[in-house]
């Protein structure tokens, strides 16, 4: 494992190597500069020597040369034999010989050659008069360069095992030069040769050696001091890094090994820290969150994104509240997250983003949802039980009324039959046969009423137990069939019946729904009242829960206090009317069995009535 301490050590080692390389390069640069300085000094000395030689040569040239006593050191110059006054004798008889500038310069150069530490010189030409003036290879190359326009050539050269700075400039033919060199064909301005000066570098190199020795000591001390400072700084940094690593190890152990998904998000929403547990919770690695600050926002479930965004805004305002939201994992699984966060601050008190903590609460949510469903189911069962109990109480009450009514209404025909049967017996015993026919008819009428009452009771008991297979009912066709069956009573009563076209289709037991319509139409005909023109309208209107079928008449109407009473067993508003009083109760039972409702709307006596009922749009399940 590469730690910060190891990185610092590597950096210190690299810095030491860089420092050493820098010192070495600087020393090399200084050494190269000193060498260039030595060469520059030697070149300047060579130029000064050349200028000096040129100056006294020009002086001698302007004076046509000088006469010196002829001797072994200065014998007459055979190359000046063509000059008439080469040799002269003074009045005192002393012999003199002409020394021209070139001869004089050559003698000076030969004198300098005898001194090893002096600047050496050489006069030469590509076309020399004296063989000794023949150029060496370097001088020949320089002379050829002069012919191309070069004014000076200099270079460090080795001569006889010693290093020299060699410098050479051309000689240009002037008018006084033609005295000696006209015979060679030179003209004024021609380059007739050159003079080279060779400066020994030993003295300057010795001086440079002393300088370089001092420089080496200075550079060595500087290098050693730099290494010491770098090493001391490295040790300080290593100790600090070791302390920081120990602290980070404690914090990392606490943060990285938490079960929850912890993170620190800066003010720019970039992640400064994400715990490794994010991979287990979301399926995304911490590196993916670091590289994509919007990733957490994108994996929030679309239905929870608005509340999450509001929570983030509240968090940066300093008013965060815990929130539960769903995320969509990388594998597509939806998980519930319980999230809390708070603002964090720097040591100076400045806001530094938010620290968030996420916990996977999917199992808790599932358990909570299961508990809630069980609670709702239990509440539903309790409610249904209470409804059943209420319904049972209502049925018990209805059964009590039914028992009372049956016992009363069935007893009445029996009393009638029994009474008139006794009268018949007395009439037969007394021979009074005149009333026998009327008594028998009364007994038969009471028996017929009892038979009708028993038939209605049997029909009522069958509702909810015996039904036909549900089917899709065309209410227009059904209404027409019912009206066709009741055409006789309708025509006899003189009632005008209208049927609204386009009645919707419904699911149900078609014969039973037909009984409802038939019962309502028969009631409308029966209680038509004394109107001049009786009307019955069969139609439909739109209600809150679907279509509402209506049977409206302009008959006697129903007072408000009887709007519910008329649907009870054996309840008749007009006791003198025909029937048993079970019809509306039977119709309501049929409608309720089809998950519908049956009620009456009326403004009171003489205002007509509208019987309304609804039916389920799906086929009812058989009991």
């Amino acid at each position: 494992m590469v730690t910060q301490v190891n990185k610092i050590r590597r950096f210190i080692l690299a810095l030491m190597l860089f420092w050493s390389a820098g010192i070495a390069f600087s020393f090399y640069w200084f050494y190269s500069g000193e060498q260039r300085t030595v060469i520059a000094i030697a070149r300047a000395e060579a130029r000064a020597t050349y200028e000096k030689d040129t100056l006294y040569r020009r002086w001698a040239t302007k004076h046509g040369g000088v006469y010196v006593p002829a001797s072994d050191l200065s014998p007459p110059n055979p190359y000046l034999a063509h000059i008439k006054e080469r040799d002269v004798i003074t009045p005192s008889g002393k012999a003199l010989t002409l020394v021209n500038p070139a001869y004089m310069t050559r003698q000076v150069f030969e004198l300098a050659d005898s001194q090893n530490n002096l600047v050496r010189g050489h006069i030469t030409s590509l076309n020399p008069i004296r063989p000794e003036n023949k150029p060496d290879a370097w001088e020949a190359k320089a002379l050829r360069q002069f012919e191309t326009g070069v004014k000076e050539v200099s270079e460090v050269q080795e001569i006889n095992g010693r290093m020299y700075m060699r410098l050479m400039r051309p000689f240009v033919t002037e008018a006084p030069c033609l005295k000696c060199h006209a015979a060679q064909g030179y003209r004024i301005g021609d380059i007739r040769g050159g003079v080279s000066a060779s400066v020994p570098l030993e003295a300057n190199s010795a001086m440079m050696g002393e300088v370089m020795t001092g420089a080496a000591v200075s550079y060595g001390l500087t290098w050693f001091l730099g290494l010491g400072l770098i090493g001391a700084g490295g040790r300080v940094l290593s100790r600090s890094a070791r302390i920081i690593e120990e602290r980070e190890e404690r914090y990392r152990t606490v943060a990285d090994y938490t079960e929850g998904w912890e993170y620190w998000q800066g003010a720019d929403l970039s992640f400064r820290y994400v715990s490794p547990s994010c991979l287990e919770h979301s399926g995304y690695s911490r590196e993916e969150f670091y590289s994509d600050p919007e990733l957490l926002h994108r994996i929030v479930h679309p239905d929870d994104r608005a509340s999450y965004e509001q929570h983030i805004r509240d968090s940066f305002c300093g008013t965060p509240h815990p929130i539960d939201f769903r995320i969509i994992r990388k594998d597509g699984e939806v998980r519930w997250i319980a999230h809390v966060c708070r603002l964090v601050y720097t040591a100076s008190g400045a806001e530094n983003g938010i620290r968030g903590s996420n916990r996977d609460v999917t199992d808790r949510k599932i358990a909570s949802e299961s508990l809630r469903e069980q609670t709702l189911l239990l509440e539903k069962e309790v409610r249904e039980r209470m409804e059943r109990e209420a319904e049972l109480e209502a049925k018990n009450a209805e059964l009590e009324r039914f028992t009372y009514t049956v016992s009363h209404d069935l007893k009445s025909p029996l009393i009638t039959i029994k009474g008139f049967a006794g009268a018949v017996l007395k009439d037969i015993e007394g021979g009074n046969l005149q009333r026998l026919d009327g008594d028998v008819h009364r007994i038969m009428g009471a028996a017929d009423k009892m038979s009708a009452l028993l038939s209605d009771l049997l029909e009522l008991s069958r509702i909810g137990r015996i039904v036909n297979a549900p089917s899709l009912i065309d209410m227009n066709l059904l209404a027409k069939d019912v009206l066709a069956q009741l055409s006789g009573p309708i025509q006899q009563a003189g009632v005008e019946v209208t049927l609204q076209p386009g009645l919707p289709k419904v699911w149900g037991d078609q014969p039973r729904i037909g009984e409802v319509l038939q019962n309502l139409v028969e009631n409308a005909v029966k209680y038509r009242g004394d109107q001049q023109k009786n009307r019955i309208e069969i139609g439909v209107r739109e209600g809150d829960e679907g279509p509402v079928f209506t049977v409206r008449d302009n008959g006697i109407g129903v007072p408000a206090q009887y709007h519910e009473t008329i649907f009870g067993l054996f309840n008749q508003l007009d006791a003198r009317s025909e029937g048993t009083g079970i019809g509306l109760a039977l119709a309501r039972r049929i409608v309720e069995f089809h998950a519908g409702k049956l009620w009456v709307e009326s403004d009171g006596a003489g205002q007509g009535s509208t019987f309304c009922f609804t039916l389920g749009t799906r086929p009812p399940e058989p009991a």
Side-chain angles (χ1 to χ4, degrees):
M1 177 180 176
V2 180
T3 63
Q4 290 296 329
V5 174
N6 292 334
K7 290 182 179 178
I8 290 175
R9 288 175 178 172
R10 292 180 181 179
F11 174 76
I12 293 301
L13 178 59
L15 188 59
M16 286 182 174
L17 293 175
F18 179 79
W19 171 254
S20 300
I23 291 295
F25 177 78
S26 178
F27 182 77
Y28 171 76
W29 183 262
F30 180 78
Y31 175 78
S32 299
E34 287 299 313
Q35 282 189 323
R36 289 192 296 271
T37 301
V38 169
I39 292 173
I41 292 174
R43 184 180 289 110
E45 186 176 353
R47 287 172 180 168
T49 300
Y50 175 85
E51 294 293 340
K52 174 177 66 63
D53 292 343
T54 301
L55 184 63
Y56 72 71
R57 181 184 177 86
R58 185 173 288 113
W59 178 87
T61 300
K62 287 182 179 181
H63 290 81
V66 296
Y67 285 91
V68 299
S71 65
D72 294 337
L73 294 177
S74 299
N77 190 345
Y79 299 105
L80 298 179
H82 62 282
I83 299 176
K84 294 180 180 181
E85 297 180 346
R86 183 193 73 173
D87 300 313
V88 296
I89 298 176
T90 65
S92 61
K94 189 175 184 178
L96 301 177
T97 185
L98 179 66
V99 177
N100 67 343
Y103 190 17
M104 180 182 63
T105 301
R106 178 172 57 82
Q107 286 185 336
V108 172
F109 286 164
E110 289 175 353
L111 184 61
D113 287 343
S114 64
Q115 305 291 327
N116 291 331
N117 59 341
L118 295 180
V119 177
R120 301 177 61 182
H122 187 221
I123 184 169
T124 184
S125 171
L126 292 175
N127 186 22
I129 297 176
R130 294 177 69 252
E132 292 82 356
N133 290 343
K134 182 180 179 181
D136 60 18
W138 182 84
E139 291 173 332
K141 180 180 179 182
L143 290 171
R144 284 192 292 271
Q145 290 180 353
F146 293 155
E147 292 177 353
T148 62
V150 176
K151 301 299 181 182
E152 180 182 283
V153 176
S154 64
E155 187 177 358
V156 176
Q157 284 270 312
E158 182 180 351
I159 302 176
N160 298 326
R162 298 176 63 187
M163 300 303 298
Y164 288 85
M165 163 54 69
R166 302 192 69 180
L167 183 139
M168 188 174 185
R169 287 184 180 180
F171 269 163
V172 180
T173 302
E174 297 177 354
C177 300
L178 296 178
K179 179 180 176 179
C180 299
H181 298 283
Q184 291 178 280
Y186 286 111
R187 293 188 300 273
I188 296 174
D190 289 345
I191 296 175
R192 69 176 190 274
V195 176
S196 67
S198 300
V199 179
L201 299 179
E202 293 176 352
N204 292 335
S205 296
M207 293 179 58
M208 187 186 76
E210 295 178 359
V211 172
M212 292 307 299
T213 300
V217 173
S218 299
Y219 273 91
L221 291 175
T222 304
W223 171 73
F224 184 76
L225 180 60
L227 289 182
L229 292 175
I230 293 173
R235 286 191 295 273
V236 172
L237 288 176
S238 296
R239 284 196 299 269
S240 300
R242 189 174 295 107
I243 294 173
I244 292 174
E245 284 183 352
E246 290 174 356
R247 292 178 180 175
E248 287 185 349
E249 181 67 19
R250 289 197 297 268
Y251 298 147
R252 186 182 66 83
T253 302
V254 173
D256 286 359
Y257 291 94
T258 56
E259 183 180 356
W261 167 13
E262 310 292 333
Y263 68 86
W264 170 24
Q265 203 169 15
D268 58 352
L269 299 182
S270 64
F271 287 99
R272 309 289 180 81
Y273 171 79
V274 180
S275 63
S277 54
C278 65
L279 180 62
E280 179 182 354
H281 285 74
S282 66
Y284 295 92
S285 66
R286 62 200 303 184
E287 288 73 19
E288 290 177 281
F289 283 99
Y290 287 140
S291 62
D292 186 1
E294 294 293 326
L295 179 58
L296 177 56
H297 178 272
R298 288 202 308 273
I299 66 175
V300 175
H301 195 282
D303 293 345
D304 300 335
R305 194 164 293 163
S307 58
Y308 171 77
E309 291 174 350
Q310 182 61 45
H311 169 78
I312 294 298
R313 289 192 291 269
D314 293 343
S315 299
F316 278 98
C317 292
T319 58
H321 299 285
I323 182 177
D324 291 353
F325 59 86
R326 288 164 291 176
I327 64 170
I328 302 176
R329 285 171 45 89
K330 195 172 187 178
D331 56 9
E333 182 184 2
V334 177
R335 304 291 293 180
W336 275 98
I337 296 296
H339 171 81
V340 293
C341 65
R342 59 175 298 176
L343 276 172
V344 294
Y345 301 89
T346 63
S348 60
E351 292 184 2
N352 199 21
I354 59 174
R355 183 189 182 281
S357 178
N358 295 329
R359 299 290 186 275
D360 191 321
V361 293
T362 305
D363 294 340
R364 190 188 73 187
K365 282 287 185 179
I366 293 175
S368 177
E369 183 65 20
S370 176
L371 181 60
R372 189 182 68 85
E373 291 178 355
Q374 292 179 4
T375 301
L376 292 177
L377 181 60
L378 181 59
E379 291 177 353
K380 180 180 178 182
E381 291 179 356
V382 171
R383 186 170 55 253
E384 290 178 351
R385 178 172 295 181
M386 293 177 64
E387 291 175 355
R388 287 195 296 269
E389 289 178 355
E391 183 181 356
L392 182 58
E393 291 179 0
K395 289 185 178 295
N396 288 336
E398 183 180 1
L399 180 59
E400 186 177 349
R401 292 193 301 272
F402 174 76
T403 303
Y404 171 78
T405 304
V406 169
S407 64
H408 178 273
D409 289 4
L410 288 179
K411 189 183 294 183
S412 178
L414 289 175
I415 294 173
T416 301
I417 293 172
K418 184 177 180 180
F420 280 100
V424 169
L425 290 176
K426 289 182 180 180
D427 289 339
I428 293 175
E429 291 176 356
N432 186 6
L433 300 179
Q434 294 179 355
R435 295 188 304 178
L436 184 61
D437 184 61
D439 293 338
V440 172
H441 278 85
R442 288 187 179 91
I443 291 173
M444 293 178 63
D448 291 339
K449 185 176 182 180
M450 180 176 289
S451 176
L453 184 61
L454 290 174
S455 298
D456 288 343
L457 289 175
L458 181 60
E459 182 69 18
L460 182 64
S461 67
R462 289 176 176 175
I463 299 300
R465 293 188 296 107
I466 302 176
V467 296
N468 299 300
S471 61
L472 189 61
I473 305 171
D474 188 334
M475 292 298 289
N476 286 91
L477 295 178
L478 182 61
K480 289 178 181 179
D481 291 342
V482 170
L483 292 178
Q485 294 175 15
L486 300 177
S487 60
I490 291 174
Q491 292 178 2
Q492 184 177 0
V495 178
E496 178 184 352
V497 180
T498 59
L499 175 62
Q500 177 183 338
L503 296 182
K505 296 180 179 180
V506 295
W507 280 92
D509 184 345
Q510 182 168 330
R512 295 293 187 184
I513 302 302
E515 292 178 13
V516 173
L517 276 177
Q518 180 176 343
N519 188 287
L520 297 179
V521 173
E522 285 180 341
N523 270 4
V525 173
K526 185 187 303 183
Y527 300 105
R528 62 185 178 277
D530 299 328
Q531 305 292 336
Q532 292 183 356
K533 186 175 183 181
N534 300 109
R535 296 190 308 278
I536 298 176
E537 299 175 2
I538 301 175
V540 69
R541 71 187 186 204
E542 193 63 31
D544 295 337
E545 299 179 358
V548 178
F549 297 97
T550 60
V551 177
R552 177 179 299 141
D553 62 62
N554 60 348
I556 63 175
V558 179
Q561 63 270 27
Y562 299 117
H563 281 187
E564 191 62 29
T565 306
I566 60 175
F567 295 102
L569 291 173
F570 309 112
N571 290 337
Q572 294 176 294
L573 293 181
D574 186 358
R576 298 170 298 175
S577 62
E578 298 178 357
T580 61
I582 297 180
L584 290 178
L586 180 63
R588 172 170 279 189
R589 288 282 184 88
I590 295 173
V591 170
E592 289 178 348
F593 173 74
H594 285 78
K597 297 179 181 179
L598 173 62
W599 70 95
V600 65
E601 297 174 355
S602 177
D603 293 333
Q607 301 299 317
S609 303
T610 302
F611 283 85
C612 309
F613 66 93
T614 61
L615 297 170
T617 57
R618 298 179 62 184
E621 297 181 359

